[in-house]
Amino acid sequence: MKLKLDVALSLVAIGVLGVLNSAHAAPVYEIVNIDDFDLKGTLDGTRNGYAMGVNANDELVGVSKGKKKLSTSDVEGEGDIFDDENDGIAPEEIISYSINNPIIANNFAFVAAQNGTEGAWLPTFESINGTTVPSDTSVINSVDTFYYGINDAGLKVGTMTAKEKKTLNTSTTDVTDDYWYFRDYEYRGVAKVADAEIPLPPPYTQYVKDDKTVELGGWSAATAVNNLNLVAGYASTGISKYGAERVDFCLSKDNTLPVDVCVQREQYPNSSGTRNIQYQTRAYVWQIDENGSPVGTELPLGLTPASDNTLTLTAQAMGLNDNGVVVGRSHVYRNGSSKALAQDAAYWAKDAEGKYKYHWIPMGNKISSSIAYDINDNGIVVGSYRSYIQGYPRDKFFHFDINTPEVGYVTPNDFSSKPTDLSSKPRDINNKGQVVGYIETTYDKEKPRPKAGFLFDKSTGEFSNLNSLLTCASKGFEQDKNGNWQRHQILVEEDGSGKTLTYDADIMVVEANSINEEGTIVGTAFIRKPIYQRDTDGNIVLGDNGKPLFELNGKGEPVTGYIPRMVVLKPAASDAQACTVDDSVDTGNYERKGAASFMWLFALPLLWLRRRVG
């Protein structure tokens, strides 16, 4: 049977399009990784794809996720210490790590390029730490890998986990196939050029007490790289007070597990999503020399803790420019007051002696926290702060010039001539002052808000929803014989039970993560797809004919949903026009499959949550 539901385009799409302004001077963009109204946006064998960074040569790095069902820890990151909203993974999607279960990878780094060896902008798997392509179901990977940045010479940076180890479980009578599972570290920074991998270890990896040494592994992450092969990120420099107490327990007679297994249990996220073993974390840089060897440098914390201070203090570097100026955030006592501890945006620059010096980006008392994500070669920092606006916590995009720090940070207006309460976060800025990121697009107070990628031009102050700059063909439209634009109809001829499905093509850019000097933008888009049934292990359920079964609504009809995929946008030809079709009166057949599937529409790519671990 053919499916045609009597539902209008989702309120989410209406909300997104309702804020678009067709009158703009920003460049027109087209999505260039579209193939037959589909996005070439993830690796085979995975569900979701995210583009994280692009260089001057139109080469990008990204991450594919979802070989298995996602867990709360996959979403929230390794001990995530940010206050960002949950991204809406349903309870039935939860898989928790346990020392009693094998470790199965769910994240795979990839590259793509305009002139890619396997095709233009085709995601191509990259092995790190021995991982194998996710489409090879004969191999079970235990290593999660992530790429976050790439420089013009092709040096890529990100993180990796250690490989799974196992030891016989001696707590049961029958130990023939019963093991405990653990690994040497939870995550570690890594750089890669060609086939050469360069681990970026943290300075603190061992716990030493009396005559005993415990290998903890610590943690580190590489978040960005400049064209001088300087890598920015963060690393463990010590252990938290409570973490030390938990390691002491593992060393005590009260512990019945092997020490390595006990330590692993304490490093896994617990039911509340936190880890018992936390680390003192500092912003860090690694200089990769001509021989491919990294030399690490710890950047100063934003405060000097008292000798009896037992707090776990954190600083993280998130971006840097080709002048070696690093940006991120750090714990700091605002205005020197120990009663005003906050995590605020910061930058680190070398002084006359060549040593990095910490600089606070001043924030007012009404701002609870802030972070800087990137800085261009002209010294313009972009970041966001969190504050209550109209009674609700919101994140607002700001820019700051390190050449005139006395001016303070500036909060641009977005879709209005006046400030709004729409949350927004920047991700990247190029040397032309073009900023990309994401912004909310509706003004609901009590409901989750959909998001869209934005382009901001600092020189003109123009702020654009990227969806309003796209050509019609980049949004899922095609022309009929009269030259009128209409949504392309996608037909899925048969599922495992013989049902057919017809639905409207639909593409929405929800986040922009990187922009190069030529204006190429990479990020994430939602694309409409059929929803297929999955079993409790996350595998697609097949019918008698070997084809997957559609997920059905309460009426027994197939439904569609939105899936995140890598997206690449390039400035269109000079005569191209942005699409002016009024989507709000268009009809579609999207229907949510419970609240959790609907929440995917409001979710930002998971990678930034995973990136901000610590």
Side-chain angles (χ1 to χ4, degrees):
M1 69 175 186
K2 277 197 173 183
L3 171 71
K4 187 174 182 180
L5 301 181
D6 294 327
V7 292
L9 186 66
S10 72
L11 292 177
V12 174
I14 293 174
V16 170
L17 296 164
V19 298
L20 303 185
N21 183 355
S22 59
H24 59 78
V28 176
Y29 272 88
E30 60 180 344
I31 297 176
V32 295
N33 63 320
I34 291 180
D35 183 16
D36 193 23
F37 294 91
D38 195 5
L39 286 180
K40 299 183 292 183
T42 195
L43 294 173
D44 289 342
T46 63
R47 292 195 293 173
N48 310 328
Y50 312 89
M52 303 304 293
V54 64
N55 67 11
N57 304 313
D58 275 353
E59 300 167 326
L60 68 78
V61 293
V63 182
S64 287
K65 296 177 70 74
K67 185 175 182 181
K68 64 182 181 64
K69 285 195 174 182
L70 304 176
S71 69
T72 300
S73 60
D74 288 325
V75 174
E76 296 173 351
E78 307 279 351
D80 185 20
I81 49 180
F82 276 70
D83 296 324
D84 290 34
E85 66 275 12
N86 187 286
D87 86 84
I89 293 299
E92 61 268 23
E93 297 266 326
I94 291 175
I95 294 176
S96 60
Y97 285 114
S98 168
I99 58 174
N100 298 311
N101 298 322
I103 302 170
I104 302 175
N106 195 51
N107 309 276
F108 305 85
F110 67 77
V111 296
Q114 171 72 55
N115 298 314
T117 56
E118 297 190 18
W121 301 116
L122 185 68
T124 304
F125 170 76
E126 281 233 342
S127 177
I128 301 174
N129 202 13
T131 55
T132 55
V133 62
S135 59
D136 183 359
T137 57
S138 67
V139 180
I140 298 178
N141 286 317
S142 62
V143 178
D144 285 288
T145 59
F146 306 82
Y147 273 151
Y148 298 129
I150 180 172
N151 70 8
D152 293 347
L155 180 66
K156 295 152 286 192
V157 298
T159 62
M160 61 184 178
T161 62
K163 296 179 180 179
E164 172 193 275
K165 291 184 174 181
K166 63 182 180 180
T167 187
L168 282 175
N169 184 342
T170 58
S171 65
T172 61
T173 303
D174 182 8
V175 296
T176 304
D177 295 307
D178 199 359
Y179 295 91
W180 283 307
Y181 300 88
F182 62 101
R183 55 193 177 194
D184 289 339
Y185 53 84
E186 293 306 285
Y187 59 97
R188 181 154 296 176
V190 64
K192 186 173 182 180
V193 58
D195 294 327
E197 293 180 20
I198 307 170
L200 304 173
Y204 180 84
T205 61
Q206 298 177 328
Y207 178 79
V208 179
K209 184 176 183 181
D210 302 327
D211 61 343
K212 297 179 180 178
T213 299
V214 179
E215 297 291 341
L216 299 175
W219 62 35
S220 62
T223 58
V225 59
N226 72 7
N227 286 316
L228 300 177
N229 292 345
L230 182 66
V231 180
Y234 46 93
S236 56
T237 58
I239 195 169
S240 66
K241 179 177 182 296
Y242 183 63
E245 293 172 357
R246 296 312 301 164
V247 180
D248 287 342
F249 168 79
C250 291
L251 291 170
S252 72
K253 295 180 180 179
D254 294 331
N255 169 41
T256 60
L257 296 170
V259 173
D260 288 340
V261 176
C262 177
V263 167
Q264 180 65 82
R265 183 186 63 187
E266 299 298 324
Q267 297 210 87
Y268 275 151
N270 56 31
S271 58
S272 63
T274 60
R275 298 171 185 269
N276 290 334
I277 294 179
Q278 294 281 328
Y279 296 99
Q280 300 288 347
T281 303
R282 300 294 181 263
Y284 217 78
V285 293
W286 296 266
Q287 180 65 61
I288 310 296
D289 66 21
E290 59 185 9
N291 298 317
S293 300
V295 178
T297 301
E298 178 183 339
L299 304 186
L301 190 67
L303 58 88
T304 301
S307 58
D308 59 349
N309 190 308
T310 60
L311 295 176
T312 304
L313 300 172
T314 297
Q316 296 168 303
M318 303 302 293
L320 76 170
N321 63 16
D322 283 345
N323 301 318
V325 182
V326 182
V327 298
R329 68 171 187 170
S330 173
H331 270 113
V332 64
Y333 291 136
R334 288 182 178 172
N335 298 310
S337 172
S338 61
K339 296 181 180 180
L341 178 66
Q343 283 187 324
D344 274 343
Y347 66 95
W348 293 264
K350 288 185 177 180
D351 59 18
E353 297 179 355
K355 295 183 178 180
Y356 276 102
K357 183 179 180 181
Y358 165 86
H359 298 269
W360 179 45
I361 298 180
M363 294 288 157
N365 293 332
K366 293 183 179 180
I367 292 173
S368 61
S369 63
S370 60
I371 183 171
Y373 287 109
D374 196 27
I375 180 172
N376 68 10
D377 292 345
N378 301 315
I380 307 301
V381 179
V382 292
S384 66
Y385 60 83
R386 172 159 285 200
S387 180
Y388 276 86
I389 301 177
Q390 299 178 17
Y392 294 84
R394 307 295 186 199
D395 297 299
K396 296 299 291 185
F397 155 43
F398 74 82
H399 57 79
F400 175 85
D401 190 341
I402 67 172
N403 302 296
T404 55
E406 68 280 1
V407 174
Y409 66 86
V410 176
T411 305
N413 291 332
D414 36 67
F415 297 127
S416 171
S417 59
K418 298 180 180 179
T420 73
D421 74 335
L422 298 175
S423 284
S424 56
K425 285 191 176 184
R427 297 306 191 197
D428 194 24
I429 180 172
N430 64 16
N431 290 329
K432 296 179 180 178
Q434 294 175 305
V435 183
V436 293
Y438 76 80
I439 185 170
E440 294 174 337
T441 56
T442 65
Y443 294 88
D444 293 317
K445 300 298 183 186
E446 304 293 340
K447 299 178 181 179
R449 295 172 168 183
K451 301 172 177 68
F454 75 72
L455 172 65
F456 171 73
D457 189 330
K458 183 178 179 294
S459 64
T460 64
E462 185 172 11
F463 196 106
S464 302
N465 182 322
L466 280 170
N467 294 284
S468 71
L469 306 181
L470 294 177
T471 62
C472 285
S474 294
K475 300 176 72 172
F477 289 92
E478 62 184 353
Q479 286 182 301
D480 62 19
K481 61 183 180 181
N482 297 317
N484 299 316
W485 289 99
Q486 60 184 12
R487 287 206 177 273
H488 175 75
Q489 293 289 295
I490 296 175
L491 171 65
V492 182
E493 295 184 351
E494 186 181 41
D495 78 339
S497 65
K499 290 184 173 66
T500 60
L501 170 63
T502 302
Y503 64 96
D504 292 339
D506 194 5
I507 302 171
M508 294 186 291
V509 179
V510 295
E511 182 175 56
N513 285 329
S514 184
I515 181 170
N516 66 17
E517 300 305 318
E518 299 304 315
T520 300
I521 298 171
V522 301
T524 308
F526 281 150
I527 185 167
R528 185 178 291 196
K529 290 283 189 178
I531 298 176
Y532 293 103
Q533 297 180 31
R534 292 179 180 268
D535 61 23
T536 55
D537 294 325
N539 299 314
I540 291 179
V541 178
L542 303 179
D544 294 337
N545 60 4
K547 296 182 178 181
L549 292 170
F550 291 135
E551 187 70 36
L552 306 178
N553 63 13
K555 299 177 182 179
E557 300 166 324
V559 294
T560 60
Y562 286 89
I563 297 176
R565 291 286 167 86
M566 172 194 95
V567 68
V568 182
L569 290 73
K570 291 184 72 67
S574 58
D575 59 346
Q577 295 183 347
C579 190
T580 57
V581 176
D582 184 4
D583 299 63
S584 63
V585 297
D586 186 34
T587 59
N589 67 347
Y590 169 76
E591 181 161 319
R592 63 190 178 103
K593 181 183 75 75
S597 291
F598 193 54
M599 287 297 293
W600 274 105
L601 292 168
F602 304 103
L604 261 265
L606 315 183
L607 271 298
W608 284 96
L609 297 177
R610 175 68 83 164
R611 171 174 175 170
R612 299 172 308 205
V613 234

